[in-house]
Amino acid sequence: MTASLFDEPPQPLRTPLLLEPGAMVLPGFAQDRAPALLQAVAGIAARAPFRHLVTPGGLRMSVAMTHCGTLGWVSDRSGYRYSPVDPHTGQPWPAMPGCFAELAHQAAAAAGYAAFAPDACLINRYAPGARMSLHQDRDEHDMAHPIVSVSLGLPASFLWGGAARADKARRIPLLHGDVVVWGGPVRLHFHGVQPLAEGTHPLAGACRINLTFRRAG
Ligand code: SIN
Ligand code: FE2
């Protein structure tokens, strides 16, 4: 007997979702190119290894991070900033692969942001249990540029909050290949990721990879 419709887990929506003016979820936008993206991540991590940053407050982040592009985001006890050099290797960050820049540009355009040309890509790796607490992306030079965030591997529950930290956050399920774009009036909205559930993804293994594209400099 086939499972009844009612036995299936709730299906996340698969059509573009306007979270609010300025913020959009593009389900599956990156799905076809995910294998190439993951392969490129492995190449980047071979040169700029994933590491757990320490926040200015002295806490080790549960998410492991690396970067590509002309600028990478670094954190230590003196604060957060962008740097052209990987403090781990003393070398420039690996160049941003063409397939990364192209995807970011296309996703931004699909969400209404023309001519987005990122110079930085933060690569976050979540193991089960890893999370990202509510925060703003506010270290970039010019807030006129949007953020493009690509989900690969295990599913996550994304938190989309408001202009103030205390604003109630919505939980948005993000699957392999989904892209979220936000900018304009909501560029500085708080957002985060709930602790990743256990699991294994056929392409990514026991992790979630998030690519966050920015115009930082
Ligand atoms: C971030 O806000 O930097 C990451 C968001 C995500 O992992 O989806
Ligand atoms: Fe962020």
Side-chain angles (χ1 to χ4, degrees):
M1 199 181 93
T2 55
S4 118
L5 185 63
F6 303 104
D7 295 326
E8 290 178 11
Q11 291 295 308
L13 72 164
R14 306 311 294 160
T15 50
L17 166 68
L18 186 68
L19 289 172
E20 60 187 291
M24 193 173 262
V25 183
L26 303 170
F29 193 90
Q31 194 155 2
D32 292 352
R33 35 195 145 174
L37 297 172
L38 287 167
Q39 201 173 0
V41 168
I44 291 161
R47 293 176 48 210
F50 280 104
R51 77 288 308 260
H52 294 269
L53 297 184
V54 176
T55 67
L59 295 174
R60 178 185 184 268
M61 291 179 69
S62 60
V63 171
M65 206 177 268
T66 187
H67 308 272
C68 67
T70 53
L71 291 169
W73 189 75
V74 299
S75 167
D76 55 29
R77 288 195 175 256
S78 66
Y80 301 110
R81 63 188 176 281
Y82 280 96
S83 165
V85 168
D86 178 356
H88 201 89
T89 63
Q91 299 297 312
W93 299 103
M96 191 181 301
C99 63
F100 277 33
E102 188 184 37
L103 166 63
H105 178 90
Q106 291 173 354
Y113 297 98
F116 178 53
D119 59 4
C121 176
L122 282 66
I123 305 173
N124 295 310
R125 187 182 67 195
Y126 297 73
R131 61 192 286 270
M132 195 169 290
S133 53
L134 281 176
H135 66 279
Q136 296 167 293
D137 295 350
R138 54 180 301 163
D139 297 314
E140 297 73 32
H141 181 68
D142 180 356
M143 296 298 162
H145 302 284
I147 299 282
V148 173
S149 177
V150 179
S151 292
L152 300 169
L154 289 177
S157 180
F158 182 66
L159 296 169
W160 178 251
R165 187 182 294 277
D167 289 347
K168 193 167 162 46
R170 288 166 69 180
R171 293 179 190 183
I172 313 292
L174 292 181
L175 303 183
H176 178 72
D178 290 354
V179 179
V180 188
V181 181
W182 66 93
V186 296
R187 173 62 179 74
L188 285 172
H189 270 27
F190 281 85
H191 58 278
V193 176
Q194 293 201 302
L196 202 78
E198 296 283 343
T200 306
H201 186 272
L203 285 183
C207 73
R208 169 176 185 260
I209 300 282
N210 166 259
L211 311 176
T212 303
F213 294 96
R214 297 136 188 241
R215 183 87 195 179

